[in-house]
Amino acid sequence: MSKEPSVTAASTLAEGPIDRPTEAGAPHRHHRPEPKRTSLFQPAIVRRAVGESFTKLHPRTMMRNPVMFIVEIGSVLTTLLFFRDLGDADVDHVFVGLVAGWLWFTVLFANFAEAVAEGRGKAQADTLRKTRSETLAKVRQPDLSIVETPSSQLTVGDLCVVEPGDLIPGDGEIVEGIATVDESAITGESAPVIRESGGDRSAVTGGTRVLSDRIVVKITQKPGEGFIDRMIALVEGAERQKTPNEVALNILLSGLTLIFLLATVTLQPLAIYSGAEQQIVVLVALLVCLIPTTIGGLLSAIGIAGMDRMVQRNVLAMSGRAVEAAGDVSTLLLDKTGTITYGNRMAAAFLPVGGVTDAELAEAVLLSSLADETPEGRSIVDLAESRHGLDRDRLLDDAVLVPFTAQTRMSGVDFTDQGRTRSIRKGATDSLARWVTEGGGSVPADLAPIVETIATDGGTPLAVADGARVLGVIHLKDTVKEGMVERFAELRALGIKTVMITGDNPLTARAIAAEAGVDDFLAEATPEDKMARIRAEQAGGKLVAMTGDGTNDAPALALADVGVAMNSGTQAAKEAGNMVDLDSDPTKLIDVVEIGKQLLITRGALTTFSIANDVAKYFAILPAMFVARYPDLDTLNIMRLGSANSAILAAVIFNALIIVALIPIALRGVKFRAGGAAEILRRNLLVYGVGGLIAPFVGIKLIDLIITTLGVN
């Protein structure tokens, strides 16, 4: 029985996103990482793909694609007939040879599309292999002595000492120390990252390099089973399995192929009976043109390219199933801090109380924050300087700074001003009120309403006092990242519900949710609450995606249909998720969903095109086959093709070339546009359905003109 989230911890924004309150602070820009742009047809990849196009002709390989396997059998059959009839003067050897050749090209082009998609992954795998090297690990023994051991001989639980300049010998967790680590070999990001013992940033990856400080790493993976090893296997496609949708589509395509095969086989007896016996070559050409060769030849490439697009975004999908599931996601669970907001509370406004002037409050705020080295403290100083023209150096002459402590929950400054000692403090409103009262002062009546208003709006109030006199309040707020509101609107257009997860109280959570434009929120969330919410969404027939980085996130990541673990997180989180974000950017979850949807849209669009363009081939081949026996069928020759042979050959050539033309679309994917399912369907039918009907008529006619001009009739 799944546990439902409590009423106090969750609130649904049923009427859509709440209107955003006016932002008082300065804007903060959020720069989305751009995907790594690589050419589709790099020379090295193309050369490898050309070779593999022939390697893949092995029947055992081709049998995995029933549609193209039938085409290969047809190619072999027509080739044998060509050589068998070389001495027969009654046979049009040029026609038979060209049909056989273009059938082989059809198979090779399909293999080439798959090989190019695989080649991009193999190129990335080659780069990753260069990061793997046999290193000597400094294994710490129980008596604290160090024994150098080859990294290939490490076992789970070994404690390895890693010093500046050393490669981390294997995947593990830091159990002692803190260090900057160069992870560019994995992430492509040149800036080093901080890794430290304890918390959610303790995981390290074998093959990365320590740049500073000394750490002790506990090995958690056996040699050959590390993260880089799994990355290599995945990007190469060695572990790729067909997704459920892909399997279902394969079954459909196989069924259509079987139907057309039976139709073609039964056509010959009827043709003989009517006195219009057909050449086997013509029947093979008819079969190949009628079965869904276009989508059959590109189906594997589409799936492989989907995973490749994830890699371009620095997201490692553990399976094609995960990529496909991302396309069907209908609910996103997103952490507030670091995902929707920047995670650092920033100063938004200074609000005086008790008749205090803005200038007096600003000066006190600046002085009280000079000892505060937190991001919040620095933002207060910056706001005071920028809005009120204050100079921190002029005010610091003989001041004694009082740092923040957990006991006092205040910071400030003591200094002498015109012969009298002043003590200015800034901190939590209850602590500061107590400090003022103990000093013989009183709290102004207008303080409480201001504090309540700030808290209601999702901000954090900090009171400021000069001795026994309360001067005002600092409004701190966690700023929503730029562009998030628009992205949530796009997801809403796709029918995807967004849920913000936060540890804040419901009042603050509601305010942030309203500003960000999310559909729902879960406040004061515990790991159990997250799992309960996932189960509740899944019970309603929805697929759920979420991100996480900590060990406490692992159960929810494992439960979610799409779990994106941060590379900076714990090993447990990375093991539980079915995707790993190498950039450790929680907002990447939105990109993941869009890529998944693009994969499904691409597959649907090209399937629509493939089935639609078969219609034109009926008008090309069927009249050509029987027009000699039944002249009235010439009325169906609406393209006015030159001859029976040129019509059949033009259809076969078009059938091969259209695969080549669609390879870039299969690899790049159909351009993603936010919209509902009905809108996407209409767009696909208009562009790829109607386009699939028109393109063959134009293409076959042009090819026929070329064939006729060259005298191949």
Side-chain angles (χ1 to χ4, degrees):
M1 183 80 64
S2 60
K3 175 186 170 187
E4 296 291 337
S6 65
V7 176
T8 60
S11 177
T12 301
L13 313 181
E15 302 300 322
I18 300 174
D19 293 336
R20 301 177 66 196
T22 303
E23 186 173 327
H28 299 265
R29 295 194 174 274
H30 174 60
H31 300 283
R32 292 175 58 194
E34 292 295 321
K36 294 175 278 189
R37 301 293 182 184
T38 56
S39 172
L40 283 180
F41 300 104
Q42 298 176 24
I45 293 177
V46 170
R47 286 194 297 270
R48 176 187 286 180
V50 169
E52 292 185 359
S53 299
F54 290 91
T55 305
K56 290 177 177 289
L57 291 175
H58 193 288
R60 188 174 297 173
T61 303
M62 294 299 300
M63 286 177 67
R64 294 200 293 263
N65 188 338
V67 177
M68 300 315 300
F69 184 55
I70 291 294
V71 180
E72 184 179 40
I73 293 174
S75 305
V76 172
L77 181 59
T78 53
T79 303
L80 293 175
L81 291 172
F82 172 75
F83 286 108
R84 187 198 70 178
D85 298 331
L86 275 177
D88 191 342
D90 296 330
V91 176
D92 188 343
H93 303 103
V94 174
F95 171 73
V96 177
L98 286 173
V99 170
W102 280 103
L103 290 181
W104 280 116
F105 276 124
T106 304
V107 180
L108 289 170
F109 289 153
N111 288 348
F112 178 78
E114 184 178 22
V116 169
E118 291 175 346
R120 291 159 67 83
K122 289 177 180 179
Q124 292 162 334
D126 291 340
T127 302
L128 287 170
R129 282 194 183 90
K130 296 176 182 177
T131 67
R132 293 193 310 183
S133 59
E134 182 69 19
T135 60
L136 286 176
K138 303 170 183 176
V139 181
R140 191 173 74 182
Q141 304 299 308
D143 60 358
L144 302 184
S145 62
I146 302 296
V147 176
E148 291 190 341
T149 305
S151 58
S152 59
Q153 298 180 16
L154 293 173
T155 59
V156 176
D158 282 345
L159 297 178
C160 300
V161 177
V162 189
E163 298 176 308
D166 292 348
L167 287 175
I168 296 174
D171 290 6
E173 302 271 356
I174 299 177
V175 294
E176 293 181 20
I178 179 173
T180 54
V181 181
D182 178 8
E183 296 183 345
S184 58
I186 298 173
T187 66
E189 176 57 56
S190 58
V193 296
I194 302 295
R195 295 288 178 262
E196 59 185 326
S197 61
D200 296 336
R201 296 185 177 270
S202 61
V204 290
T205 304
T208 57
R209 188 178 299 275
V210 172
L211 300 180
S212 70
D213 302 292
R214 177 183 181 275
I215 55 175
V216 178
V217 176
K218 182 179 181 180
I219 301 298
T220 57
Q221 291 287 341
K222 298 178 180 178
E225 299 179 4
F227 190 61
I228 289 182
D229 298 287
R230 285 184 291 141
M231 283 182 67
I232 292 171
L234 289 163
V235 299
E236 272 189 324
E239 295 186 10
R240 175 179 133 78
Q241 296 180 344
K242 291 182 178 179
T243 63
N245 283 348
E246 196 173 345
V247 171
L249 186 55
N250 256 314
I251 293 172
L252 173 62
L253 298 181
S254 299
L256 290 175
T257 301
L258 182 61
I259 291 170
F260 285 120
L261 177 61
L262 293 173
T264 304
V265 170
T266 56
L267 186 63
Q268 183 71 318
L270 296 174
I272 295 173
Y273 178 78
S274 62
E277 183 178 354
Q278 299 297 316
Q279 300 180 61
I280 295 178
V281 173
V282 173
L283 292 172
V284 172
L286 174 66
L287 174 63
V288 170
C289 288
L290 294 187
I291 64 177
T293 51
T294 305
I295 185 62
L298 297 173
L299 188 58
S300 294
I302 294 170
I304 297 169
M307 294 188 67
D308 180 66
R309 284 194 291 277
M310 286 290 185
V311 175
Q312 290 178 41
R313 281 287 186 184
N314 260 0
V315 177
L316 180 63
M318 298 304 177
S319 68
R321 183 187 296 266
V323 180
E324 189 173 273
D328 286 326
V329 161
S330 48
T331 302
L332 291 186
L333 301 187
L334 301 157
D335 279 332
K336 184 202 75 171
T337 305
T339 303
I340 297 173
T341 66
Y342 285 94
N344 294 328
R345 295 175 301 174
M346 312 297 288
F350 304 147
L351 306 172
V353 298
V356 176
T357 65
D358 290 341
E360 185 180 0
L361 174 61
E363 182 182 49
V365 164
L366 175 66
L367 290 168
S368 67
S369 300
L370 291 175
D372 188 353
E373 290 299 322
T374 64
E376 293 91 340
R378 290 193 293 268
S379 76
I380 293 171
V381 173
D382 291 341
L383 186 61
E385 290 182 325
S386 63
R387 287 192 179 179
H388 299 276
L390 300 178
D391 184 356
R392 73 179 78 186
D393 295 328
R394 179 178 60 83
L395 297 171
L396 250 178
D397 289 338
D398 57 354
V400 178
L401 302 179
V402 180
F404 176 88
T405 66
Q407 290 75 27
T408 64
R409 299 170 66 203
M410 295 186 298
S411 63
V413 62
D414 295 333
F415 64 102
T416 302
D417 182 21
Q418 298 179 357
R420 71 182 183 93
T421 301
R422 293 178 61 185
S423 296
I424 299 178
R425 295 291 185 272
K426 170 206 73 184
T429 53
D430 57 341
S431 298
L432 191 115
R434 192 181 308 113
W435 183 75
V436 168
T437 303
E438 291 173 353
S442 61
V443 179
D446 55 347
L447 178 66
I450 293 176
V451 170
E452 185 178 351
T453 300
I454 293 174
T456 302
D457 289 340
T460 301
L462 295 179
V464 182
D466 185 352
R469 183 185 178 204
V470 178
L471 302 178
V473 180
I474 303 169
H475 181 183
L476 297 179
K477 62 182 298 185
D478 193 356
T479 308
V480 174
K481 291 180 177 178
E482 184 178 331
M484 295 305 294
V485 175
E486 292 76 13
R487 299 200 74 183
F488 288 143
E490 291 177 1
L491 292 171
R492 193 172 299 108
L494 292 170
I496 298 173
K497 179 182 179 182
T498 51
V499 181
M500 183 186 77
I501 308 296
T502 178
D504 292 338
N505 64 73
L507 197 63
T508 301
R510 183 177 181 84
I512 298 290
E515 183 177 358
V518 297
D519 301 305
D520 195 3
F521 65 87
L522 181 65
E524 299 175 344
T526 65
E528 291 76 17
D529 292 332
K530 294 180 185 179
M531 294 180 66
R533 184 57 185 261
I534 292 172
R535 290 193 183 101
E537 294 288 338
Q538 291 173 334
K542 299 177 180 179
L543 296 187
V544 181
M546 71 163 289
T547 61
D549 59 1
T551 301
N552 63 337
D553 292 323
L557 286 171
L559 182 62
D561 301 282
V562 178
V564 183
M566 303 296 102
N567 187 47
S568 61
T570 63
Q571 194 68 33
K574 290 193 283 188
E575 292 288 344
N578 49 21
M579 292 189 186
V580 177
D581 177 20
L582 302 179
D583 294 327
S584 300
D585 176 10
T587 61
K588 199 74 70 64
L589 180 60
I590 300 174
D591 294 315
V592 167
V593 171
E594 290 181 354
I595 292 171
K597 288 207 173 284
Q598 187 187 34
L599 169 65
L600 298 180
I601 291 170
T602 301
R603 188 182 293 153
L606 295 188
T607 301
T608 302
F609 184 91
S610 178
I611 294 174
N613 78 57
D614 285 341
V615 175
K617 300 169 192 174
Y618 302 154
F619 290 93
I621 296 181
L622 289 176
M625 291 174 63
F626 297 100
V627 71
R629 180 68 178 85
Y630 302 103
D632 289 345
L633 286 175
D634 191 57
T635 57
L636 296 177
N637 183 17
I638 59 178
M639 288 179 277
R640 313 317 302 171
L641 303 177
S643 68
N645 282 1
S646 70
I648 294 169
L649 187 57
V652 171
I653 294 174
F654 175 84
N655 197 61
L657 294 180
I658 197 63
I659 294 176
V660 181
L662 293 176
I663 287 176
I665 297 177
L667 297 182
R668 284 202 180 95
V670 173
K671 187 174 181 178
F672 177 81
R673 295 182 179 88
E679 182 184 350
I680 293 172
L681 179 60
R682 281 195 302 271
R683 189 186 304 128
N684 275 358
L685 289 176
L686 180 63
V687 176
Y688 294 95
V690 177
L693 287 172
I694 297 173
F697 282 93
V698 177
I700 291 173
K701 179 61 179 178
L702 290 175
I703 295 170
D704 179 76
L705 289 173
I706 295 172
I707 291 173
T708 304
T709 303
L710 294 175
V712 184
N713 295 313

